[in-house]
Amino acid sequence: MRNIKFPIGRRGHTGRWMPSSRSAVEAVARSLTSPRFEVLPTAGAAELVAQHLPPGRIVTVTASPSRGLEATLALAEGLSALGYRAVPHLAARMVTDAEELAEIVTRLRAAGIDEVFIPSGDAAEAGAYPDAFSLLHALDELGRPFASTGITAYPESHPTIPDDMTIQAMWDKRELATTMVSNMTFDPQVVQTWLTRVRRRGVTLPLWLGIPGPVSTAQLLRVASRIGVGDSTRFLTKHPRAVMRLLRPDGFSSESFLRHLGPALAREESRIAGLHVFTFNHVAEAETWRTDLLSRLGKEHHLPA
């Protein structure tokens, strides 16, 4: 898949690109300075991160039923020991009971981890926590042991959950979380429309904007096959529009996606915390893309280093 480079701006009624404001350009550049990189808890993932990212960067670690929470926790501990700000995904449906939750909290705190991300998860059978809200409530009863707790945001419709339920869930969870992370979306207009509506509803949690790294369709499907059949099926089911966008002749460009969102990133009311890059463990490619685009923006628009 080609990562097509467009001049920054927006498409007018004539089809030509018109310049965006300097504030939009600067907002895109800021978003590239300290993004979160999401990785999969596969063998050698810690070494992969250490090879391509400097210590101090935020690295989140996914969780899946096929690998179990142990793989997520172990990688998060390993990354923290290497000097990264590790953020493990604690999938609610994968936590057995209150005793296991307390053990997880103790273990992560001992590793110096003070941030977690709480999705409901895809486990077919849930333990004591059937959804993210119930686990968030349990952490609240434990005295909110983590400085930052993230929740999932859905700019596009969830394939199995009605929109009104995802909206209500976000409203219910907003008092128990500190940030939210938008699910992977390939349409910048969808993100802008959704973000405007969320803020109008009074949800003010800072947003980590989910964006796919520069991974081709073929690479994406190869990575999915390595994760496991179950995970691959879940990915395809949960992101049908994303997959269709990837399969279009013109493909998808992470750069174009981000440039389109420049004006939204610049608006203070958007409350964008930064980028959450889904790397699919293509860490080197994602970091090269980030630094290259940041450099080009600086040169093109004479931004301060």
Side-chain angles (χ1 to χ4, degrees):
M1 177 182 67
R2 294 177 300 148
N3 201 19
I4 305 169
K5 301 172 184 177
F6 293 104
I8 191 162
R10 59 184 179 85
R11 193 177 294 278
H13 68 278
T14 62
R16 294 180 299 175
W17 284 91
M18 298 183 295
S20 284
S21 68
R22 184 173 179 83
S23 63
V25 177
E26 292 175 339
V28 171
R30 281 196 306 272
S31 73
L32 290 162
T33 57
S34 55
R36 296 156 48 122
F37 274 15
E38 179 177 297
V39 299
L40 311 166
T42 57
E47 292 77 8
L48 180 67
V49 170
Q51 184 178 356
H52 300 291
L53 300 181
R57 291 281 292 277
I58 305 174
V59 182
T60 77
V61 185
T62 65
S64 72
S66 64
R67 294 188 176 274
L69 273 181
E70 176 55 33
T72 298
L73 300 175
L75 179 54
E77 289 171 323
L79 291 171
S80 182
L82 291 171
Y84 297 96
R85 293 177 55 190
V87 182
H89 293 206
L90 301 184
R93 296 175 65 85
M94 294 172 65
V95 180
T96 305
D97 52 30
E99 182 178 359
E100 183 183 21
L101 179 60
E103 292 174 354
I104 290 172
V105 168
T106 300
R107 180 175 173 179
L108 294 179
R109 292 293 301 273
I113 294 171
D114 64 358
E115 182 173 357
V116 293
F117 176 67
I118 312 292
S120 292
D122 300 319
E125 295 184 7
Y129 309 105
D131 50 39
F133 179 75
S134 59
L135 185 60
L136 286 164
H137 184 69
L139 287 173
D140 184 58
E141 292 183 332
L142 290 175
R144 300 197 178 194
F146 301 105
S148 181
T149 304
I151 58 174
T152 307
Y154 297 99
E156 293 194 74
S157 297
H158 191 283
T160 60
I161 306 174
D163 287 345
D164 58 346
M165 291 184 65
T166 60
I167 293 169
Q168 184 63 48
M170 183 182 296
W171 181 261
D172 293 340
K173 292 183 287 188
R174 78 193 191 286
E175 298 294 343
L176 299 173
T178 57
T179 62
M180 55 184 180
V181 180
S182 61
N183 215 339
M184 187 160 53
T185 306
F186 289 73
D187 188 334
Q189 186 57 55
V190 167
V191 175
Q192 292 184 66
T193 301
W194 169 84
L195 186 57
T196 299
R197 291 174 177 172
V198 164
R199 296 314 185 199
R200 285 176 179 171
R201 293 187 194 109
V203 178
T204 59
L205 294 175
L207 173 71
W208 288 94
L209 177 64
I211 178 173
V215 180
S216 70
T217 305
Q219 288 174 321
L220 176 60
L221 295 178
R222 282 200 300 270
V223 171
S225 67
R226 289 203 300 271
I227 300 169
V229 175
D231 288 347
S232 178
T233 300
R234 275 187 293 274
F235 174 81
L236 297 173
T237 301
K238 290 170 66 176
H239 303 88
R241 294 183 185 178
V243 174
M244 291 303 296
R245 181 67 179 262
L246 282 170
L247 295 176
R248 281 172 42 179
D250 57 347
F252 170 79
S253 164
S254 299
E255 178 177 336
S256 177
F257 176 85
L258 188 56
R259 287 180 183 259
H260 272 88
L261 285 171
L265 295 175
R267 288 194 291 269
E268 185 176 351
E269 59 269 26
S270 294
R271 293 182 59 80
I272 303 296
L275 296 184
H276 181 98
V277 182
F278 298 90
T279 71
F280 297 98
N281 284 20
H282 285 258
V283 177
E285 293 88 340
E287 180 64 0
T288 297
W289 165 80
R290 182 192 75 84
T291 56
D292 174 67
L293 178 53
L294 186 58
S295 175
R296 284 190 285 107
L297 285 174
K299 292 176 181 178
E300 292 168 10
H301 302 279
H302 308 290
L303 302 178

